[in-house]
Amino acid sequence: MDKIEISGKHPGPPGTGLCGKLTIRGAKNAALPIQCAALLGQGTTRLRHLPRLTDVSTMNGLLRELGCSVAADMDARTVEIDPDQVGAGTLEAPYEQVKTMRASVTVMGPLLGRFGRARVSLPGGCAIGARPIDQHLKGLEALGAEVELAHGYVELRAKRLIGARFSFDKVTVGGTQNVMMAASLAKGHSLLENVAREPEVQELAVFLNKMGARISGAGTDAIEIEGVDALNGIDHAILPDRIEAGTFAIAAAITRGDVLLEHAPVDHMHAVIDKLVEAGVECRVEDGGLRVIGPERIRPIDVVTRPHPGFPTDMQAQIMVLAAMADGASVIRETIFENRFMHVPELNRLGADIVVNGNTAVIRGPTRFSGTTVMATDLRASASLVLAGLVADGQTEVRRVYHLDRGYEAIEARLRPLGAEITRYHGAGA
Ligand code: UD1
């Protein structure tokens, strides 16, 4: 297993931190459902600007297992997916696959919508919480699917789905995406209410409409879908990653740096940018990107994670590092996932003063981080440890780097040109 070593330092005067330009890559959470949606199209779909991430490769692997022909050229960041032979296959997302990557359940809607059948392993818990899929199943049932749970798998069947009105009990990104994809090929009109408004839901709707679907309202809390008989394979470029951009913005801010994040999707980042500005960080929309300049003094902030357009849970661990560097006490409340403070004990080992009570963390700054060996159990938690390592005195060794590789493309190779002393060691550490 790889490990990452960072030779950090407590920030000096403004302008002495990370400095330069960095290009934001395609969004993992936009890419994964769109890879699944390629199952719906007759003929080949060509995806461009894919990020080079293990999750993207894992999804390509699942699509191959389902019978797709998948030609990936990750040097060119493109993949061509032809699903026309899938109907003859098992139509199954097995346990090993879903366990490795929960987003595998997003093949359920397209398989059911186009091929009338799907068998998907139940995801079970993961490091950040229980994460059930009850809303996905209720939505698909509303469209007429027969749902059966047996032996840890969910089996879905339908001759042809029928458009319906369905209101989600809880706002869910993956649930909205699954039901929206299934309804695209249903007979008649669907109205989905209390849906997720995340940019990745909007992007999926744009993609499906390019394939020939008739979806309106994505980005609001109700989506209307006029079912069509068939969809076509298309060419599509994945939008840049708002969470990656937010993570690098915090790296610039805490090191007192000055970094231009090229192609940062600022329109999707308002909640994060607002918090950075509140903390005293200078954020300028410039040259088709976001320029972030770290301040001399970071002010404390209060953050509550919410569905989009609220503050994203996927930025909670990273903004906690910014809060730890602030002059005073900050409060962060996590309302999306019940167990998403796994980074706190590790940040405390690096010298932070964070106390968790239920879903609320109180962070007392300013912290003088001091390097040690750390590891995390999920992707964004791992990113927070890298951020803390950048401003920690001495060496920080981050283990279990495979979490980072799921969501950040070559994080060390991209931070190094900005002045970070960060190195990956292959096959080392636990
Ligand atoms: C997606 C993102 C993930 C992000 C999350 C919340 C992808 C691949 N992943 O995950 O990075 O952290 O949105 O923004 O896009 N829930 C239920 N029943 C369901 C479905 C969800 O109770 O049927 C709950 C979950 O346990 C969680 C909340 O709803 O508490 C939100 O989850 P959801 O939006 O579904 O997250 P994902 O789509 O899995």
Side-chain angles (χ1 to χ4, degrees):
M1 260 182 268
D2 294 1
K3 68 176 183 182
I4 280 180
E5 254 182 39
I6 306 160
S7 260
K9 57 175 181 299
H10 194 68
T16 59
L18 299 185
C19 194
K21 287 183 191 174
L22 182 152
T23 301
I24 300 305
R25 297 297 179 196
K28 168 177 88 75
N29 287 355
L32 298 175
I34 284 177
Q35 287 172 277
C36 295
L39 283 164
L40 289 164
Q42 296 184 351
T44 301
T45 284
R46 182 163 180 267
L47 302 179
R48 291 175 287 114
H49 292 189
L50 281 164
R52 293 182 192 135
L53 301 173
T54 48
D55 272 11
V56 168
S57 313
T58 304
M59 186 60 84
N60 284 338
L62 173 58
L63 294 175
R64 278 193 193 102
E65 260 186 65
L66 291 169
C68 291
S69 136
V70 179
D73 177 357
M74 288 315 282
D75 287 341
R77 303 174 186 287
T78 61
V79 63
E80 290 185 357
I81 302 167
D82 178 352
D84 285 350
Q85 299 306 314
V86 169
T90 62
L91 302 175
E92 175 175 312
Y95 173 67
E96 285 307 320
Q97 179 81 31
V98 179
K99 190 183 68 171
T100 314
M101 186 183 65
R102 195 179 176 283
S104 307
V105 301
T106 319
V107 296
M108 204 159 48
L111 287 179
L112 183 67
R114 179 164 177 198
F115 303 103
R117 209 155 45 84
R119 188 167 188 268
V120 175
S121 169
L122 288 168
C126 72
I128 60 175
R131 303 186 81 171
I133 56 165
D134 57 309
Q135 296 301 311
H136 302 231
L137 301 181
K138 268 179 96 171
L140 295 172
E141 264 182 318
L143 298 176
E146 283 174 38
V147 177
E148 216 176 291
L149 300 176
H151 310 295
Y153 276 75
V154 52
E155 290 203 35
L156 301 108
R157 279 173 192 279
K159 278 214 173 67
R160 171 133 193 225
L161 295 170
I162 311 284
R165 180 179 180 155
F166 177 71
S167 182
F168 288 90
D169 299 325
K170 183 159 192 171
V171 177
T172 152
V173 176
T176 302
Q177 292 170 333
N178 244 332
V179 181
M180 183 166 81
M181 286 191 275
S184 298
L185 285 180
K187 188 173 165 55
H189 177 261
S190 295
L191 171 62
L192 308 180
E193 292 173 312
N194 197 26
V195 297
R197 298 163 62 183
E198 266 66 2
E200 296 78 18
V201 171
Q202 296 178 46
E203 179 70 358
L204 179 61
V206 167
F207 177 81
L208 294 168
N209 283 342
K210 266 167 81 176
M211 292 179 112
R214 293 174 60 197
I215 301 172
S216 58
T220 72
D221 62 3
I223 293 178
E224 293 203 66
I225 303 156
E226 210 55 63
V228 296
D229 291 336
L231 297 168
N232 297 311
I234 53 160
D235 179 281
H236 187 77
I238 304 296
L239 60 80
D241 195 318
R242 63 195 170 103
I243 304 299
E244 183 182 274
T247 305
F248 288 128
I250 289 177
I254 56 176
T255 57
R256 295 197 180 123
D258 182 347
V259 176
L260 178 66
L261 303 169
E262 293 176 310
H263 306 307
V266 283
D267 288 344
H268 301 152
M269 296 176 65
H270 292 303
V272 171
I273 292 173
D274 286 354
K275 279 298 157 193
L276 293 177
V277 169
E278 208 181 306
V281 179
E282 202 176 323
C283 294
R284 292 191 210 154
V285 180
E286 232 174 61
D287 297 338
L290 180 68
R291 184 166 165 202
V292 181
I293 303 171
E296 171 128 35
R297 176 174 174 265
I298 296 171
R299 290 192 289 266
I301 41 172
D302 289 346
V303 177
V304 182
T305 63
R306 296 263 185 231
H308 192 77
F311 190 91
T313 175
D314 285 352
M315 282 297 301
Q316 182 256 106
Q318 302 91 311
I319 202 133
M320 198 175 276
V321 179
L322 180 82
M325 298 296 287
D327 216 346
S330 299
V331 178
I332 297 182
R333 191 148 65 88
E334 170 61 54
T335 73
I336 309 291
F337 292 112
E338 69 269 26
N339 200 15
R340 206 171 196 178
F341 283 139
M342 308 292 276
H343 42 286
V344 169
E346 293 299 85
L347 290 176
N348 281 345
R349 288 185 58 243
L350 287 165
D353 175 359
I354 306 169
V355 177
V356 173
N357 188 0
N359 69 352
T360 304
V362 176
I363 305 109
R364 290 198 174 75
T367 302
R368 185 155 190 134
F369 282 110
S370 99
T372 186
T373 301
V374 284
M375 61 187 179
T377 45
D378 83 73
L379 161 60
R380 306 302 169 186
S382 301
S384 76
L385 300 179
V386 170
L387 291 173
L390 293 172
V391 287
D393 292 316
Q395 292 268 327
T396 298
E397 185 179 307
V398 181
R399 299 202 178 167
R400 299 198 180 170
V401 171
Y402 56 86
H403 288 298
L404 280 168
D405 293 337
R406 294 186 57 185
Y408 295 91
E409 182 179 315
I411 195 166
E412 73 286 357
R414 294 165 70 211
L415 285 171
R416 218 178 296 121
L418 303 177
E421 285 185 44
I422 177 168
T423 314
R424 175 187 297 249
Y425 293 95
H426 293 289

